[in-house]
Amino acid sequence: MPDFDIDAQDWGLETLGVRAGQTRSHEGEHSEAIYPTSSFVFASAEEAAKRFAGEEPGNIYSRFTNPTVRMFEQRIAALEGGERAVGTASGMAAILSTCMALMEAGDHIVSSRNIFGSTTTLFEKYLRKFGISISYVGLQDYQGWADAANDNTKLYFLETPSNPVCEIADIRKIAEIAHSKGAKLVVDNCFCTPALQRPLLLGADIVTHSATKYLDGQGRCVGGVVVGNNDDMEQVFGFIRSCGPSLSPFNAWVFLKGLETLNLRMKAHSENALTLATWLEQQPQVEQVNYAGLESHPDHQLASQQQSAFGGVLSFKVRGGKEGAWAVIDNTQMMSITANLGDVKTTITHPATTTHGRISQEDRDAAGVADGLIRIAVGLETLEDLKADLARGLAKI
Ligand SMILES: *Cc1c(COP(=O)(O)O)cnc(C)c1O
């Protein structure tokens, strides 16, 4: 049975996306099997006892392990270059499980300031309640990353590229700072995926994903995953196994199918986004375009070294503030007006009144979220159709 084993470490990313982690049942199925079963049956009372005691490997109950989930975990671990991955019920469950498994009351997190909204809520509303403190620094404030640590700092946390203005953090540099403070670096790799950026190979200790986004790629399922070394992942697995935010086998199967085209999709998303960003830069109503693939972007050099392409998400600022931005959004006919991303369907959103609507004007200004800013997660439609969809609204400004 050609399982993922010895030689797979040498496979290219495309091969890993298609084949890593698959184990076939005795039926010899070509596509990965879904195991929609809550529990597993033992051959004898003795076998049951041994499995429960951990003396013999094997499945017991799908909150703990499930063969379809395990195939997804092994494929992601291979793609990210990590020793082990653990599937979770959502991207937020991945971040929650990492924090719950590796931290205790009195510990401290140093995080980049501009992170996913629910991650801020998790940190501020829930982790603080259990005695964990958090300091925030600017993504590229390397002195700040060093100065923010204290004797209790356990985790550093960041997202790169940042949302929605596409700033790039130097993962290698921040990993070195974290390690010099005796802390681990966690990178939320949702925007790039391992097809474009592999943080563990740059020195990060743990990667988290919302599989809901590009790993699925077609907007079907909610899920997540944590990747890292065996010791850390045993802790994360222990939390999930006992406390419950496990990944469903059906969703894991959908993600396995998504991963088969991940490399192709991320290349195509990146090509479409770069062409659209270049076109937007030439439009008279557009004051600024944020996309690290553009040579005009201040982080273009760093992004070129750290990533193999620049991803599907860009933002741009139009003349006329909020009215201008809303005119562009409301005159689209094809793009989906939604804050989601990581889908073959292009999505368009106004960050200042949606994802960043509840934060103060001052914090919005600091994050570069101007009233005229529009974020697009560029999908895989025909480029001329995407341009035409935006041109209608731009002409109204
Ligand atoms: C969507 C997202 C999450 C949360 O993932 P869910 O699957 O929605 O729980 C975390 N981080 C980033 C960067 C995201 O875009």
Side-chain angles (χ1 to χ4, degrees):
M1 206 181 299
D3 293 347
F4 165 70
D5 50 22
I6 24 178
D7 296 331
Q9 297 302 334
D10 299 332
W11 284 347
L13 270 185
E14 291 79 5
T15 312
L16 293 174
V18 173
R19 293 209 175 257
Q22 180 170 10
T23 49
R24 295 203 171 98
S25 78
H26 63 275
E27 300 291 350
E29 68 281 353
H30 194 201
S31 179
E32 293 77 357
I34 313 178
Y35 290 84
T37 180
S38 53
S39 61
F40 297 83
V41 177
F42 312 108
S44 64
E46 189 189 356
E47 186 180 87
K50 283 186 171 160
R51 289 223 188 138
F52 271 85
E55 290 163 9
E56 182 180 279
N59 301 298
I60 297 174
Y61 186 55
S62 282
R63 170 152 47 75
F64 309 170
T65 59
N66 175 282
T68 314
V69 173
R70 189 174 56 240
M71 287 190 258
F72 167 67
E73 291 170 339
Q74 293 193 348
R75 188 165 298 174
I76 280 285
L79 282 164
E80 286 286 4
E83 287 177 357
R84 182 174 170 189
V86 186
T88 58
S90 66
M92 287 318 304
I95 301 171
L96 169 71
S97 304
T98 302
C99 294
M100 294 302 279
L102 301 179
M103 303 188 81
E104 58 188 48
D107 284 347
H108 175 245
I109 301 176
V110 181
S111 172
S112 56
R113 190 169 286 118
N114 195 6
I115 50 175
F116 187 67
S118 295
T119 308
T120 308
T121 306
L122 164 63
F123 287 175
E124 290 300 311
K125 188 164 175 196
Y126 296 102
L127 293 189
R128 276 198 199 278
K129 212 161 70 161
F130 295 97
I132 290 169
S133 58
I134 304 100
S135 304
Y136 297 94
V137 295
L139 191 60
Q140 300 171 322
D141 176 7
Y142 299 105
Q143 191 60 48
W145 282 104
D147 293 346
N150 63 39
D151 290 346
N152 299 319
T153 305
K154 275 273 172 63
L155 295 184
Y156 274 60
F157 182 91
L158 63 84
E159 289 172 23
T160 180
S162 73
N163 177 29
V165 295
C166 302
E167 279 182 335
I168 308 292
D170 189 330
I171 294 174
R172 212 184 282 277
K173 204 181 266 185
I174 298 174
E176 276 167 20
I177 297 169
H179 296 158
S180 76
K181 305 292 179 185
K184 296 177 196 288
L185 173 62
V186 182
V187 175
D188 180 335
N189 199 26
C190 183
F191 274 48
C192 276
T193 83
L196 305 186
Q197 169 175 280
R198 302 168 88 191
L200 299 178
L201 306 188
L202 297 167
D205 301 281
I206 293 170
V207 161
T208 65
H209 274 288
S210 169
T212 319
K213 312 293 168 53
Y214 289 107
L215 302 188
D216 173 1
Q218 294 169 66
R220 298 165 292 195
C221 283
V222 174
V225 64
V226 188
V227 196
N229 69 33
N230 282 325
D231 287 348
D232 289 342
M233 291 310 101
E234 186 59 25
Q235 301 294 318
V236 172
F237 171 67
F239 174 77
I240 291 163
R241 172 191 162 119
S242 294
C243 302
S246 319
L247 178 60
S248 117
F250 177 78
N251 291 10
W253 180 80
V254 171
F255 299 146
L256 279 162
K257 297 293 105 185
L259 289 180
E260 292 175 353
T261 57
L262 178 70
N263 283 285
L264 268 183
R265 282 187 288 105
M266 293 314 291
K267 276 191 193 120
H269 280 294
S270 301
E271 275 170 28
N272 268 6
L274 181 57
T275 311
L276 200 65
T278 307
W279 177 80
L280 280 165
E281 264 194 327
Q282 293 155 1
Q283 306 310 304
Q285 304 89 347
V286 175
E287 292 177 341
Q288 194 190 335
V289 182
N290 303 309
Y291 185 65
L294 294 172
E295 279 171 27
S296 60
H297 192 286
D299 302 331
H300 178 67
Q301 207 57 36
L302 174 59
S304 307
Q305 290 160 8
Q306 190 165 276
Q307 304 170 206
S308 63
F310 305 99
V313 181
L314 61 85
S315 64
F316 60 104
K317 188 177 156 202
V318 295
R319 291 206 311 247
K322 180 182 128 182
E323 282 67 35
W326 281 26
V328 173
I329 293 168
D330 289 342
N331 280 287
T332 59
Q333 293 172 358
M334 179 185 70
M335 294 181 184
S336 313
I337 304 176
T338 168
N340 195 24
L341 62 96
D343 197 297
V344 291
K345 296 183 171 71
T346 297
T347 63
I348 185 165
T349 188
H350 184 238
T353 52
T354 60
T355 50
H356 293 66
R358 273 174 294 176
I359 66 176
S360 69
Q361 179 75 46
E362 197 186 348
D363 288 346
R364 269 206 299 280
D365 291 345
V369 181
D371 288 344
L373 194 76
I374 296 169
R375 190 198 74 190
I376 296 187
V378 184
L380 301 186
E381 301 94 338
T382 307
L383 264 166
E384 294 311 314
D385 297 334
L386 293 173
K387 289 179 191 168
D389 215 25
L390 291 173
R392 241 188 326 273
L394 287 171
K396 297 250 160 48
I397 296 177

